[in-house]
Each structure stands twice: as C-alpha cells, then as structure tokens.
Amino acid sequence: MHTVRESTTVAAPADRIFRLLAEPERAVVFIPGLNRIQNVSPNRALGCSWDYEFNWLGWIVSGRSECTRYEEPTTYQFKTLTGNPSTWTYRCEPAGAGTQLTLEVEYEVPENQLARFAGEAVLRRMNENTAREIVGNLKALVES
Amino acid sequence: MTVRFRPYDPDRRFVWPLLAPPSDTRRRWLALHRTPPDWSVLFGRALDLMMIDARPDGACGVIIGGGTSRLRWRQGRTWTIIDLELEGMGGAKRAVVRTALLKAARYAS
C-alpha cells in the first residue's frame, strides 16, 4: 500500500466541512476529474455505497465505493469495493477557531492499462496533486 | 474499478467557453444538445451540492448567493448560451464554483 496525505487549516467549523464530505453526490464539486456519482444506496451513513466515474482525457476509471467510517463530525472514510483497493480518509480536527482538515489516501499501484502508461512515481505525483486540490477546493467552498 | 478508453461519451453534453472572458468574474459558455435540459433544475442542484443558496430568476436564470451572482441562459432547440457572473466571493471559491457548474452543464442528467 502507498499513502499520500494532504492537510490544511480551514476557517470553518468541522460540522460544515463534514456535511460536504458525507454526502457522496457532493464529491463531484470538489474532486477533480470525478464526473459522475450514481446509484447511491438509501442508507446515508456507514455502509452507504455508490458508483463513481472519473474521466481523464477519455480514460474512464469507474467502480463502486462504500463508506467504512462515519464519525460525525470528525472522520469520514470510504473504500473502493471493486478492482484496485484504495481507502480515502478525511479527518476534521479542532485547530484554534477553525478546523484541521486532512485527507489520507491509501492505494495500490494498479497492474493494468493505467499502470502501463503511468509508472509508480507518476501515479504518486498525480495522487498528491489530486489530494492537494481536493483539500484546497473544500477550504475554498466553506471559507469564502 | 475498471479502466477503459472512451473518447466519446454519448451522455455528455458539449459545452465550451465562448470568447475571452471580459473579467475574472464572468464567463460565457455554449452548450450543444439534442434536447435542452432543465437548466434551472440542473444548476440549482449543482449549487445545492456546494451548499450555496440559489433561487430561480424567471424562466431562464438563477440568482446565486443572495443576489450578488447569477446565471442567465438563452436557448434554441439544439444550443444554449449560458452567462455566468460570480461576484461577492473570493477568487479560489469562484474557481471551484465555476468548474463545478461547467462540470454539471456537461455531465449532470
């Protein structure tokens, strides 16, 4: 397993950030390349699952995810259920008058078509950039 | 997870930025479609996902965030021109909102 971690201080309460994180449909507004979330199961907390679809210049990455930790308003985690395993964990911890937002993504380097075009170092850099953009987008949405 | 190459997405609308924007707060997009979507519902849902207040502005518009920002559109049978004006928010938020609205115009059903 490889891990990327990105963190920032957000001038907003944890519950406001958690509201953005904890509804799967909202992810399309702050995750770059994620274009569709569909077939979200009716249970909206632990065990909730959904289909996702990323698109990078015609390359489609799709699958199903499931919420595996739901501790409002501090921890939200989901795992990809199909194909290459990955675990995404958001943490919202008090930091002065605001919140320390951390995103940690654990993933395995896929041995498939994508890996043929993007080696381990490239994938790592892509994942680091994506994580940085996600926490930046969340900060922008709730702060200003 | 599956990975595949799909250069053409039949469910995607073609939406492009039109001309050079007159300022950082304004954008104009051209959308091509077989059947025009209900833009009011589509953009209202996207703004709700961002936890931004929105309300209809007549039949062809949405007022965003208490009136400082707005979306307006005019449409034909196979095209729509969409004007977005975002005021009263910081540059970083403006960029996120703009990107999310453009994504919704292209992909939301």
Side-chain angles (χ1 to χ4, degrees), chain A residues 16-73:
Chain A
R16 186 165 166 78
I17 303 168
F18 194 86
R19 273 179 61 204
L20 267 175
L21 300 172
E23 283 192 42
E25 294 95 334
R26 294 190 197 275
V28 294
V29 305
F30 59 82
I31 298 184
L34 177 63
N35 295 327
R36 293 190 176 103
I37 294 286
Q38 293 170 319
N39 303 318
V40 181
S41 64
N43 55 322
R44 286 310 179 108
L46 192 64
C48 178
S49 62
W50 59 90
D51 293 326
Y52 63 86
E53 184 180 291
F54 285 88
N55 185 339
W56 287 286
L57 302 171
W59 282 101
I60 307 296
V61 177
S62 60
R64 193 155 183 87
S65 292
E66 180 181 296
C67 173
T68 45
R69 280 182 73 184
Y70 188 100
E71 294 158 21
E72 188 175 359

Side-chain angles (χ1 to χ4, degrees), chain A residues 89-136:
Chain A
T89 307
Y90 294 94
R91 288 194 180 82
C92 304
E93 294 156 322
T99 304
Q100 186 73 23
L101 169 65
T102 303
L103 167 60
E104 186 178 287
V105 184
E106 293 175 272
Y107 64 96
E108 286 187 6
V109 177
E111 294 175 4
N112 55 24
Q113 294 151 306
L114 188 64
R116 271 192 272 152
F117 292 93
E120 189 180 318
V122 175
L123 265 182
R124 180 173 186 83
R125 202 169 312 122
M126 274 176 59
N127 287 337
E128 284 171 348
N129 290 341
T130 301
R132 191 172 308 121
E133 209 170 326
I134 290 168
V135 298

Side-chain angles (χ1 to χ4, degrees), chain B residues 15-26:
Chain B
V15 186
W16 297 281
L18 259 185
L19 308 175
S23 73
D24 192 45
T25 60
R26 295 182 180 196

Side-chain angles (χ1 to χ4, degrees), chain B:
Chain B
M1 181 178 74
T2 59
V3 182
R4 64 190 189 281
F5 187 57
R6 188 181 64 194
Y8 173 68
D9 179 349
D11 297 324
R12 176 193 156 147
R13 277 177 292 276
F14 289 93
V15 186
W16 297 281
L18 259 185
L19 308 175
S23 73
D24 192 45
T25 60
R26 295 182 180 196
R27 288 293 185 275
R28 174 169 284 180
W29 300 325
L30 169 66
L32 299 179
H33 40 69
R34 290 192 192 94
T35 309
D38 187 333
W39 293 110
S40 185
V41 170
L42 188 152
F43 287 130
R45 173 72 179 139
L47 289 158
D48 181 55
L49 290 176
M50 290 181 270
M51 301 196 301
I52 295 174
D53 293 334
R55 64 179 193 276
D57 182 15
C60 297
V62 171
I63 292 173
I64 302 169
T68 53
S69 302
R70 67 186 62 240
L71 273 159
R72 300 282 301 167
W73 55 88
R74 56 184 192 279
Q75 67 188 38
R77 199 166 56 86
T78 57
W79 56 270
T80 303
I81 292 176
I82 301 160
D83 285 301
L84 170 65
E85 187 177 347
L86 291 174
E87 303 278 1
M89 58 181 76
K93 183 168 185 174
R94 203 157 48 229
V96 177
V97 172
R98 197 163 51 216
T99 301
L101 290 172
L102 183 57
K103 198 187 277 189
R106 285 174 171 157
Y107 292 100
S109 50

